[in-house]
């Protein structure tokens, strides 16, 4: 199969039908991935319907070079409407799903409709089917991956939502390959609105290029340049969070207060402090760097294996919320991955709530009896769970982002909500 070949599969969850079309009509306009996704959405998605309406389209696209061994060619784009803004929504992730998807013969997956009961899609070398899966209801991401692989085969790559997506939490994301987060724009909530828990794909086709010798020379040149770069060498050691320091002068400290975080907080969150818990690396298909760090921490609930922390993780839970203990920062990231939550938005709405509480705009009645303070890792991790399951009035309040929450609370709380058109801001 040539790198420019492939098919687009269109699945209707409402009636279980699938149809295929040739990718060739698209690649000359858009190389692949997000470009094709957005073209389909802008030309075909119904205007005026809610993003949670069954007619709303959900499109997954693999990058053009996925399936080859080009360095870094592993990413997928997940596109639909954005629950926060009702405009364009797009999320992106690495992992191994895009590689398997292209080797199955597919370039894009288009989903519409809503399944009668919770289901997942199986794509085996391009052949798609829909599997009813009520047993996956409210399973975490790791549980979902385990059960699907036991049922379909260990060689399947899985992307899925956690409980947050099923509960239509607006900050729900899609987790790829167990821990790679396709965050921003609430795409996990779109999955949940369609009763779609996961997509599992397996591919065995060979992806060919026109000039193999030329391709291999270019690939080796890229790899050599990557190895020679000092920043990449740090990534190989530490993982994605490899910066010389966690932040500069500017940071989202205490809900974008404008204050400079204390030097003592910065010292506690340096990469070397997290390196103490690092036990290994993974790599996305085709990537020579291996920045997919694996950490292990001992928690009161048992040992936690924490994968793929980002620079965002430190900004979100360290600066924005003031958690100074690496263990609790790692647990916050772990919980967001397990529940399928975008940690940028989740940390933002929690920061808004703490800021409101500290300024007297909300009280213990609204927080379900919880005293909100900066830097309390146990409290923050409890709130993450409340958001994922919409637990209590407080969890439900925070589950749709700070703008909607502030409109319900009023009392000037809107001024503390940092957002762009309703989408909580990371930076």
């Amino acid at each position: 199969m040539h790198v420019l070949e492939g098919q687009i599969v269109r699945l209707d969850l409402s009636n279980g039908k699938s149809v295929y079309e040739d990718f060739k009509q698209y690649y000359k306009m858009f190389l692949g991935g997000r470009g094709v996704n957005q073209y389909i959405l802008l030309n075909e998605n119904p205007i005026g319907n809610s993003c949670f309406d069954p007619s709303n389209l959900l499109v997954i696209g693999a990058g053009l070079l996925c399936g080859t061994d080009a360095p870094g060619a592993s990413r997928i784009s997940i596109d639909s409407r954005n629950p926060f803004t009702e405009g364009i929504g797009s999320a992106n992730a690495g992992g191994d799903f895009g590689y398997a998807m292209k080797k199955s013969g597919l370039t894009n997956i288009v989903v519409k409709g809503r399944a009668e009961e919770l289901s997942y899609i199986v794509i085996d070398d391009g052949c798609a089917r829909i599997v009813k899966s009520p047993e996956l209801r409210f399973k975490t991401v790791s549980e979902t991956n385990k059960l699907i692989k036991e049922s379909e085969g260990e060689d399947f790559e899985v992307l899925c939502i956690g409980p947050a997506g099923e509960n239509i939490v607006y900050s729900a994301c899609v987790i790829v390959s167990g821990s790679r987060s396709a965050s921003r724009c609430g795409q996990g909530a779109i999955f949940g609105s369609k009763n779609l828990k996961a997509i599992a794909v397996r591919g065995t086709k060979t992806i060919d290029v026109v000039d193999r010798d030329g391709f291999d020379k270019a690939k080796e040149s890229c790899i050599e340049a990557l190895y020679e770069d000092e920043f990449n060498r740090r990534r190989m050691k530490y993982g994605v969070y490899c910066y010389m320091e966690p932040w500069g002068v500017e940071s989202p400290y205490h809900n974008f207060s404008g204050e400079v975080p204390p030097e003592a907080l910065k010292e506690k969150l340096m990469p070397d402090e997290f390196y103490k818990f690092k036990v290994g690396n993974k790599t996305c298909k085709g990537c020579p760097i291996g920045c997919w760090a694996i950490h292990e921490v001992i928690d009161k609930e048992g040992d936690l294996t924490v994968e793929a922390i980002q620079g965002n993780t430190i900004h979100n839970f360290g600066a924005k919320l003031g958690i100074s203990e690496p263990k609790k920062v790692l647990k916050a990231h772990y919980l967001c991955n397990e529940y399928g939550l975008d940690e940028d938005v989740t940390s933002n709405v929690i920061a808004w709530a703490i800021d409101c509480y500290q300024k007297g705009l909300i009280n213990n009645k609204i927080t379900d009896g919880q005293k909100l303070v900066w830097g309390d890792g146990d409290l923050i991790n409890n709130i993450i769970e409340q958001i994922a399951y919409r637990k209590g009035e407080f969890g439900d309040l925070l589950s749709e982002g700070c703008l909607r929450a502030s409109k319900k609370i009023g009392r000037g709380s809107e001024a503390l909500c940092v957002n762009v058109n309703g989408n909580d801001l990371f930076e």
Side-chain angles (χ1 to χ4, degrees):
M1 175 180 149
H2 192 271
V3 71
L4 296 179
E5 295 176 336
Q7 290 185 308
I8 296 171
V9 62
R10 295 172 176 266
L11 297 114
D12 190 333
L13 295 174
S14 297
N15 59 27
K17 293 181 179 180
S18 60
V19 296
Y20 295 81
E21 64 177 305
D22 200 309
F23 172 65
K24 285 183 179 178
Q25 64 177 305
Y26 295 99
Y27 83 79
K28 289 185 178 180
M29 295 186 291
F30 308 97
L31 291 178
R34 183 179 298 168
V36 174
N37 288 0
Q38 290 294 329
Y39 180 83
I40 290 171
L41 288 172
L42 292 172
N43 280 276
E44 300 178 22
N45 219 19
I47 297 174
N49 290 352
S50 164
C51 65
F52 299 134
D53 190 273
S55 64
N56 180 43
L57 298 180
L58 169 68
V59 193
I60 298 105
L64 185 66
L65 293 179
C66 282
T68 72
D69 51 356
S74 64
R75 303 193 71 85
I76 60 168
S77 186
I78 302 175
D79 297 79
S80 186
R81 299 268 289 284
N82 182 338
F84 292 103
T85 66
E86 284 288 351
I88 289 174
S90 187
N92 192 278
D96 298 337
F97 187 92
Y99 181 87
M101 179 176 158
K102 281 296 288 291
K103 287 180 77 68
S104 78
L106 297 181
T107 60
N108 301 77
I109 302 166
V110 184
V111 181
K112 72 174 182 178
R114 185 178 192 274
E116 287 186 4
E117 59 182 308
L118 192 68
S119 302
Y120 64 87
I121 296 168
V122 176
I123 298 169
D124 195 352
D125 261 342
C127 297
R129 55 187 167 90
I130 299 168
V131 180
K132 294 180 179 180
S133 53
E135 72 280 2
L136 297 179
R137 177 68 66 188
F138 297 134
K139 296 297 185 186
T140 63
V141 165
S142 61
E143 291 169 339
T144 300
N145 273 268
K146 181 175 182 291
L147 289 169
I148 290 178
K149 284 174 177 280
E150 285 176 353
S151 176
E152 304 297 337
E154 289 294 327
D155 53 348
F156 274 84
E157 286 299 325
V158 178
L159 59 77
C160 70
I161 59 172
E166 293 180 61
N167 286 315
I168 320 296
V169 174
Y170 282 31
S171 54
C173 65
V174 180
I175 302 292
V176 181
S177 298
S179 58
R180 307 299 305 202
S181 174
S183 287
R184 310 303 291 163
C185 303
Q187 299 304 284
I190 303 298
F191 268 69
S193 74
K194 295 184 174 299
N195 249 343
L196 179 60
K197 181 68 172 178
I199 303 176
V201 63
R202 174 170 61 186
T204 61
K205 294 178 172 61
T206 300
I207 307 299
D208 298 318
V209 296
V210 173
D211 179 1
R212 170 50 65 179
D213 288 341
F215 183 88
D216 286 343
K217 287 179 181 178
K219 179 188 72 176
E220 293 304 321
S221 176
C222 287
I223 291 173
E224 184 178 347
L226 289 169
Y227 280 146
E228 289 177 353
D229 183 78
E230 182 180 350
F231 182 73
N232 284 329
R233 288 200 296 272
R234 285 183 62 83
R235 285 203 162 195
M236 293 172 196
K237 176 181 178 180
Y238 292 101
V240 172
Y241 176 49
C242 64
Y243 314 135
M244 300 299 290
E245 55 183 38
W247 51 74
V249 175
E250 295 182 359
S251 81
Y253 183 62
H254 285 186
N255 195 33
F256 300 90
S257 65
E259 300 173 18
V260 177
E263 195 66 24
L265 177 62
K266 179 185 286 188
E267 291 299 320
K268 292 177 180 178
L269 297 173
M270 295 292 283
D272 282 323
E273 298 303 312
F274 288 85
Y275 189 70
K276 295 173 183 177
F277 302 98
K278 186 169 177 285
V279 295
N281 291 67
K282 289 183 180 179
T283 182
C284 301
K285 290 289 187 183
C287 182
I289 296 173
C291 66
W292 186 338
I294 304 170
H295 298 80
E296 286 187 357
V297 295
I298 299 173
D299 184 69
K300 59 185 177 182
E301 299 171 4
D303 294 352
L304 303 179
T305 300
V306 186
E307 296 189 9
I309 68 166
Q310 308 290 308
N312 301 36
T313 306
I314 316 306
H315 279 254
N316 288 329
F317 301 114
K320 197 184 293 181
L321 294 173
I323 301 176
S324 61
E325 300 174 65
K327 278 187 178 182
K328 292 182 178 178
V329 171
L330 287 167
K331 184 174 181 180
H333 175 81
Y334 170 85
L335 290 175
C336 284
N337 269 6
E338 280 290 272
Y339 297 144
L341 283 169
D342 172 353
E343 64 184 44
D344 294 345
V345 175
T346 301
S347 63
N348 206 64
V349 73
I350 296 173
W352 167 84
I354 296 174
D355 207 3
C356 287
Y357 188 92
Q358 293 288 312
K359 291 180 168 64
L361 302 179
I362 61 176
N363 54 30
N364 285 14
K365 183 178 179 181
I366 291 173
T367 66
D368 294 335
Q370 299 170 106
K371 182 180 179 181
L372 306 189
V373 295
W374 300 111
D376 187 337
D378 291 333
L379 166 75
I380 289 162
N381 287 333
N382 285 337
I383 295 174
I384 290 171
E385 180 180 350
Q386 292 163 28
I387 292 171
Y389 290 95
R390 289 184 179 253
K391 279 187 177 180
E393 293 184 9
F394 188 54
D396 191 56
L397 175 70
L398 301 187
S399 67
E400 296 181 5
C402 68
L403 183 62
R404 284 171 174 80
S406 67
K407 287 182 176 179
K408 293 176 182 176
I409 296 299
R411 300 169 63 185
S413 63
E414 298 96 327
L416 302 181
C417 172
V418 182
N419 72 94
V420 176
N421 292 332
N423 206 143
D424 294 63
L425 193 63
F426 160 60
E427 54 191 353

